[in-house]
Amino acid sequence: MNWPALSLGLAASACLTPVAILAGRRWGGLDLPGPRKVHLCPVPRTGGGAILVGVLAASAASGAPGPVAGLVAGGALVFLAGAWEDWRGLSPWSRLTLQVVGACWAVFAWSRSPEAWPALTAVSGWLAAVAAVLWLVGMANAFNFIDGLDGLAPAVGAASAALLASRCGEAGALSAGLCGACLGFLPYNGYRAKVFLGDGGATLIGFLLAGLGLHAGRADGSGVWAAPLAALALPAADLVATTVSRVRRGEVRGVRSWVEFAGRDHLHHRLLDAGLPAPAAAALLTACHACAAAGLLLLAR
């Protein structure tokens, strides 16, 4: 674990989150209650900015090499797309396009440094690039889907980043910085949250974890599947479960309807509907994610 990077990310996020709360209240960046929401009053959804600054600070102080800098730059573009959606609104296809551009940026930076190419060793050339872009974009959105309970997304992000920090080689400082940024944000996002990540913050964390998982798979020799899945075990499981259930119910019949559909059938919604209190549901899902991630990494070794 890179403790200086973790400390810097934590300090930056903890100090800037109150600023993000004030900015959201002043300039209208509020998440209003609704049928799919569990909060009962408007909450600022501008907390992702504090995560971004924490990550940037840790990366800059650690001297991120080219592939890592490319991942951070791509993540910043993904964040901006989500933040614009939070503030002014953005069509799903426009946001998806910007996310693909950010992913291509990160993959191009990897391709310029062959020794840092992600752990997609089962395929080669342009197939590896396409697979990497799909993984980065898909997991950025999958992580956004789990951001529906107070404290769940930053807790999962911190756990994943901590598990990967010592396994992803030259990206270790970025992973530690992301862990610190999530930990610094978490007290403000716990039960009865004062601020939300917003689409910008949630997609940023998912995008970075997806890239860090690829780096870890290459660095520790765990192969194509173990480290990437460990980084995003809960979001990946939630994405599969909701997609299968929606297809079976006939609510999703193609790519367009899959991208645009919004329902109340994610794993955290099901736990709430089963009568579990929100704090207990968040704790249970975080614990399950951490155990699954650790198990995958141990199994690969």
Side-chain angles (χ1 to χ4, degrees):
M1 176 70 76
N2 189 319
W3 295 107
L6 184 147
S7 300
L8 187 56
L10 189 152
S13 177
C15 292
L16 289 176
T17 299
V19 178
I21 295 173
L22 292 175
R25 290 174 177 169
R26 179 167 184 175
W27 288 302
L30 298 175
D31 193 330
L32 303 177
R36 297 181 61 249
K37 311 293 181 65
V38 298
H39 59 286
L40 302 178
C41 59
V43 177
R45 51 186 176 188
T46 48
I51 300 291
L52 177 63
V53 173
V55 168
L56 291 175
S59 300
S62 303
V68 179
L71 177 62
V72 174
L77 181 57
V78 169
F79 165 80
L80 291 174
W84 190 264
E85 159 64 18
D86 292 329
W87 187 39
R88 293 293 187 185
L90 192 65
S91 72
W93 293 102
S94 297
R95 185 172 59 176
L96 185 62
T97 300
L98 292 173
Q99 290 172 348
V100 170
V101 172
C104 290
W105 191 340
V107 171
F108 176 76
W110 278 324
S111 69
R112 302 286 290 178
S113 180
E115 69 276 6
W117 184 254
L120 296 171
T121 53
V123 291
S124 61
W126 66 270
L127 288 177
V130 171
V133 168
L134 291 175
W135 172 255
L136 291 168
V137 173
M139 289 302 102
N141 288 287
F143 197 90
N144 191 28
F145 294 156
I146 71 165
D147 186 25
L149 286 180
D150 293 347
L152 177 59
V156 168
S160 294
L163 285 169
L164 295 176
S166 61
R167 294 177 168 85
C168 51
E170 61 188 0
L174 172 60
S175 189
L178 177 60
C179 177
C182 290
L183 290 176
F185 177 78
L186 186 56
Y188 301 95
N189 186 241
Y191 182 55
R192 295 181 178 175
K194 300 178 179 66
V195 63
F196 293 151
L197 285 169
D199 285 358
T203 52
L204 169 66
I205 296 174
F207 185 89
L208 293 179
L209 287 177
L212 290 168
L214 296 177
H215 274 283
R218 176 197 61 82
D220 70 0
S222 60
V224 172
W225 59 274
L229 282 181
L232 291 150
L234 177 63
D238 180 75
L239 180 65
V240 171
T242 54
T243 299
V244 170
S245 64
R246 290 171 183 179
V247 170
R248 291 182 60 184
R249 294 195 302 266
E251 296 171 336
V252 170
R253 300 181 181 275
V255 175
R256 183 181 182 87
S257 60
W258 181 76
V259 170
E260 297 179 349
F261 186 85
R264 198 179 184 282
D265 56 352
H266 294 284
L267 295 179
H268 56 275
H269 290 135
R270 299 184 187 194
L271 291 178
L272 295 177
D273 292 342
L276 202 64
L284 176 61
L285 288 173
T286 302
C288 289
H289 169 78
C291 290
L296 283 169
L297 292 175
L298 289 174
L299 180 64
R301 298 184 68 177

mmCIF file of all heavy atoms in Angstrom, residues 8 24 39 74-76 81-82 88 98 108 124 126 128 197-198 212 217 222 254-255 271-272 276 291:
data_model
loop_
_atom_site.group_PDB
_atom_site.id
_atom_site.type_symbol
_atom_site.label_atom_id
_atom_site.label_comp_id
_atom_site.label_asym_id
_atom_site.label_seq_id
_atom_site.Cartn_x
_atom_site.Cartn_y
_atom_site.Cartn_z
ATOM 1 N N LEU A 8 -2.904 11.436 0.979
ATOM 2 C CA LEU A 8 -3.184 12.630 0.187
ATOM 3 C C LEU A 8 -4.584 12.575 -0.416
ATOM 4 O O LEU A 8 -5.326 13.563 -0.399
ATOM 5 C CB LEU A 8 -2.140 12.763 -0.915
ATOM 6 C CG LEU A 8 -2.180 14.046 -1.753
ATOM 7 C CD1 LEU A 8 -2.075 15.269 -0.856
ATOM 8 C CD2 LEU A 8 -1.063 14.044 -2.778
ATOM 9 N N GLY A 24 -23.274 22.311 -4.523
ATOM 10 C CA GLY A 24 -24.496 21.677 -4.982
ATOM 11 C C GLY A 24 -25.747 22.397 -4.511
ATOM 12 O O GLY A 24 -26.718 22.542 -5.261
ATOM 13 N N HIS A 39 -33.949 8.246 -0.536
ATOM 14 C CA HIS A 39 -33.875 9.435 0.308
ATOM 15 C C HIS A 39 -35.182 10.209 0.198
ATOM 16 O O HIS A 39 -35.888 10.141 -0.805
ATOM 17 C CB HIS A 39 -32.677 10.309 -0.081
ATOM 18 C CG HIS A 39 -32.686 10.783 -1.499
ATOM 19 N ND1 HIS A 39 -32.391 9.954 -2.571
ATOM 20 C CD2 HIS A 39 -32.941 12.003 -2.038
ATOM 21 C CE1 HIS A 39 -32.467 10.639 -3.687
ATOM 22 N NE2 HIS A 39 -32.801 11.885 -3.402
ATOM 23 N N GLY A 74 -8.705 9.584 -19.029
ATOM 24 C CA GLY A 74 -9.961 9.009 -19.500
ATOM 25 C C GLY A 74 -11.030 9.052 -18.430
ATOM 26 O O GLY A 74 -12.206 9.338 -18.707
ATOM 27 N N GLY A 75 -10.647 8.765 -17.177
ATOM 28 C CA GLY A 75 -11.602 8.847 -16.074
ATOM 29 C C GLY A 75 -12.126 10.248 -15.860
ATOM 30 O O GLY A 75 -13.307 10.435 -15.537
ATOM 31 N N ALA A 76 -11.267 11.254 -16.058
ATOM 32 C CA ALA A 76 -11.715 12.639 -15.915
ATOM 33 C C ALA A 76 -12.782 12.979 -16.955
ATOM 34 O O ALA A 76 -13.760 13.673 -16.649
ATOM 35 C CB ALA A 76 -10.522 13.590 -16.042
ATOM 36 N N ALA A 81 -18.635 13.842 -18.213
ATOM 37 C CA ALA A 81 -19.892 13.439 -18.852
ATOM 38 C C ALA A 81 -20.977 13.198 -17.815
ATOM 39 O O ALA A 81 -22.121 13.648 -17.962
ATOM 40 C CB ALA A 81 -19.666 12.192 -19.704
ATOM 41 N N GLY A 82 -20.631 12.486 -16.745
ATOM 42 C CA GLY A 82 -21.606 12.229 -15.693
ATOM 43 C C GLY A 82 -21.993 13.481 -14.934
ATOM 44 O O GLY A 82 -23.163 13.668 -14.572
ATOM 45 N N ARG A 88 -27.058 19.457 -15.887
ATOM 46 C CA ARG A 88 -27.916 19.977 -16.938
ATOM 47 C C ARG A 88 -28.729 18.905 -17.653
ATOM 48 O O ARG A 88 -29.680 19.216 -18.364
ATOM 49 C CB ARG A 88 -27.075 20.726 -17.980
ATOM 50 C CG ARG A 88 -26.445 22.004 -17.460
ATOM 51 C CD ARG A 88 -27.503 23.030 -17.140
ATOM 52 N NE ARG A 88 -26.908 24.322 -16.796
ATOM 53 C CZ ARG A 88 -27.606 25.362 -16.378
ATOM 54 N NH1 ARG A 88 -28.912 25.268 -16.253
ATOM 55 N NH2 ARG A 88 -27.003 26.499 -16.072
ATOM 56 N N LEU A 98 -19.209 9.811 -24.913
ATOM 57 C CA LEU A 98 -18.099 10.414 -24.182
ATOM 58 C C LEU A 98 -17.356 9.378 -23.352
ATOM 59 O O LEU A 98 -16.120 9.434 -23.222
ATOM 60 C CB LEU A 98 -18.614 11.541 -23.293
ATOM 61 C CG LEU A 98 -19.133 12.784 -24.030
ATOM 62 C CD1 LEU A 98 -19.774 13.756 -23.052
ATOM 63 C CD2 LEU A 98 -18.004 13.465 -24.785
ATOM 64 N N PHE A 108 -5.436 3.779 -25.609
ATOM 65 C CA PHE A 108 -4.357 4.287 -26.462
ATOM 66 C C PHE A 108 -3.090 4.522 -25.641
ATOM 67 O O PHE A 108 -1.978 4.209 -26.084
ATOM 68 C CB PHE A 108 -4.787 5.582 -27.144
ATOM 69 C CG PHE A 108 -3.707 6.225 -27.963
ATOM 70 C CD1 PHE A 108 -3.363 5.705 -29.201
ATOM 71 C CD2 PHE A 108 -3.021 7.340 -27.482
ATOM 72 C CE1 PHE A 108 -2.361 6.292 -29.968
ATOM 73 C CE2 PHE A 108 -2.013 7.933 -28.240
ATOM 74 C CZ PHE A 108 -1.683 7.404 -29.473
ATOM 75 N N SER A 124 -5.478 -10.621 -28.851
ATOM 76 C CA SER A 124 -4.372 -9.730 -29.174
ATOM 77 C C SER A 124 -4.834 -8.652 -30.140
ATOM 78 O O SER A 124 -5.917 -8.722 -30.722
ATOM 79 C CB SER A 124 -3.223 -10.527 -29.798
ATOM 80 O OG SER A 124 -3.649 -11.150 -30.995
ATOM 81 N N TRP A 126 -6.212 -5.531 -32.056
ATOM 82 C CA TRP A 126 -7.388 -4.680 -31.932
ATOM 83 C C TRP A 126 -8.500 -5.352 -31.137
ATOM 84 O O TRP A 126 -9.326 -4.668 -30.520
ATOM 85 C CB TRP A 126 -7.899 -4.275 -33.312
ATOM 86 C CG TRP A 126 -8.437 -5.406 -34.143
ATOM 87 C CD1 TRP A 126 -7.758 -6.201 -35.005
ATOM 88 C CD2 TRP A 126 -9.795 -5.850 -34.176
ATOM 89 N NE1 TRP A 126 -8.594 -7.127 -35.575
ATOM 90 C CE2 TRP A 126 -9.864 -6.934 -35.092
ATOM 91 C CE3 TRP A 126 -10.968 -5.448 -33.542
ATOM 92 C CZ2 TRP A 126 -11.041 -7.619 -35.368
ATOM 93 C CZ3 TRP A 126 -12.153 -6.120 -33.807
ATOM 94 C CH2 TRP A 126 -12.181 -7.199 -34.719
ATOM 95 N N ALA A 128 -8.056 -7.004 -28.387
ATOM 96 C CA ALA A 128 -7.760 -6.646 -27.002
ATOM 97 C C ALA A 128 -8.208 -5.217 -26.706
ATOM 98 O O ALA A 128 -8.748 -4.931 -25.634
ATOM 99 C CB ALA A 128 -6.269 -6.810 -26.733
ATOM 100 N N LEU A 197 -22.479 10.882 -4.638
ATOM 101 C CA LEU A 197 -21.442 10.889 -5.659
ATOM 102 C C LEU A 197 -21.938 11.498 -6.964
ATOM 103 O O LEU A 197 -21.172 12.133 -7.695
ATOM 104 C CB LEU A 197 -20.958 9.466 -5.933
ATOM 105 C CG LEU A 197 -20.048 8.820 -4.907
ATOM 106 C CD1 LEU A 197 -19.897 7.328 -5.205
ATOM 107 C CD2 LEU A 197 -18.680 9.485 -4.896
ATOM 108 N N GLY A 198 -23.197 11.286 -7.276
ATOM 109 C CA GLY A 198 -23.718 11.664 -8.584
ATOM 110 C C GLY A 198 -23.224 10.702 -9.649
ATOM 111 O O GLY A 198 -22.355 9.852 -9.408
ATOM 112 N N LEU A 212 -7.766 -0.385 -13.101
ATOM 113 C CA LEU A 212 -6.839 -0.909 -12.099
ATOM 114 C C LEU A 212 -6.888 -2.431 -12.051
ATOM 115 O O LEU A 212 -5.865 -3.092 -11.825
ATOM 116 C CB LEU A 212 -7.170 -0.320 -10.730
ATOM 117 C CG LEU A 212 -6.856 1.174 -10.558
ATOM 118 C CD1 LEU A 212 -7.482 1.703 -9.276
ATOM 119 C CD2 LEU A 212 -5.350 1.396 -10.543
ATOM 120 N N GLY A 217 -4.186 -7.545 -13.030
ATOM 121 C CA GLY A 217 -4.132 -8.853 -13.673
ATOM 122 C C GLY A 217 -2.825 -9.080 -14.406
ATOM 123 O O GLY A 217 -2.302 -10.195 -14.451
ATOM 124 N N SER A 222 -2.378 -12.857 -12.386
ATOM 125 C CA SER A 222 -3.630 -13.556 -12.107
ATOM 126 C C SER A 222 -4.461 -13.779 -13.357
ATOM 127 O O SER A 222 -5.534 -14.368 -13.289
ATOM 128 C CB SER A 222 -4.449 -12.793 -11.065
ATOM 129 O OG SER A 222 -4.749 -11.501 -11.518
ATOM 130 N N GLY A 254 -33.525 -5.098 -26.605
ATOM 131 C CA GLY A 254 -32.424 -4.731 -27.487
ATOM 132 C C GLY A 254 -31.449 -3.831 -26.761
ATOM 133 O O GLY A 254 -31.635 -3.480 -25.586
ATOM 134 N N VAL A 255 -30.390 -3.441 -27.478
ATOM 135 C CA VAL A 255 -29.353 -2.620 -26.865
ATOM 136 C C VAL A 255 -29.918 -1.262 -26.443
ATOM 137 O O VAL A 255 -29.622 -0.766 -25.349
ATOM 138 C CB VAL A 255 -28.165 -2.435 -27.842
ATOM 139 C CG1 VAL A 255 -27.139 -1.476 -27.255
ATOM 140 C CG2 VAL A 255 -27.525 -3.777 -28.149
ATOM 141 N N LEU A 271 -33.023 -6.160 -1.510
ATOM 142 C CA LEU A 271 -32.827 -6.299 -0.065
ATOM 143 C C LEU A 271 -33.757 -5.370 0.705
ATOM 144 O O LEU A 271 -34.313 -5.755 1.737
ATOM 145 C CB LEU A 271 -31.375 -6.000 0.291
ATOM 146 C CG LEU A 271 -30.337 -7.027 -0.182
ATOM 147 C CD1 LEU A 271 -28.932 -6.578 0.199
ATOM 148 C CD2 LEU A 271 -30.620 -8.408 0.410
ATOM 149 N N LEU A 272 -33.946 -4.166 0.208
ATOM 150 C CA LEU A 272 -34.870 -3.231 0.862
ATOM 151 C C LEU A 272 -36.301 -3.764 0.795
ATOM 152 O O LEU A 272 -37.051 -3.681 1.782
ATOM 153 C CB LEU A 272 -34.787 -1.854 0.214
ATOM 154 C CG LEU A 272 -33.464 -1.090 0.355
ATOM 155 C CD1 LEU A 272 -33.529 0.229 -0.398
ATOM 156 C CD2 LEU A 272 -33.144 -0.838 1.827
ATOM 157 N N LEU A 276 -34.995 -5.476 4.775
ATOM 158 C CA LEU A 276 -33.726 -5.172 5.422
ATOM 159 C C LEU A 276 -33.545 -3.658 5.504
ATOM 160 O O LEU A 276 -33.745 -2.961 4.512
ATOM 161 C CB LEU A 276 -32.583 -5.798 4.634
ATOM 162 C CG LEU A 276 -31.265 -6.057 5.376
ATOM 163 C CD1 LEU A 276 -31.473 -7.073 6.488
ATOM 164 C CD2 LEU A 276 -30.196 -6.543 4.408
ATOM 165 N N CYS A 291 -15.539 -10.061 0.427
ATOM 166 C CA CYS A 291 -15.231 -11.488 0.536
ATOM 167 C C CYS A 291 -15.077 -12.129 -0.858
ATOM 168 O O CYS A 291 -14.167 -12.936 -1.089
ATOM 169 C CB CYS A 291 -16.326 -12.202 1.319
ATOM 170 S SG CYS A 291 -16.356 -11.784 3.068
#
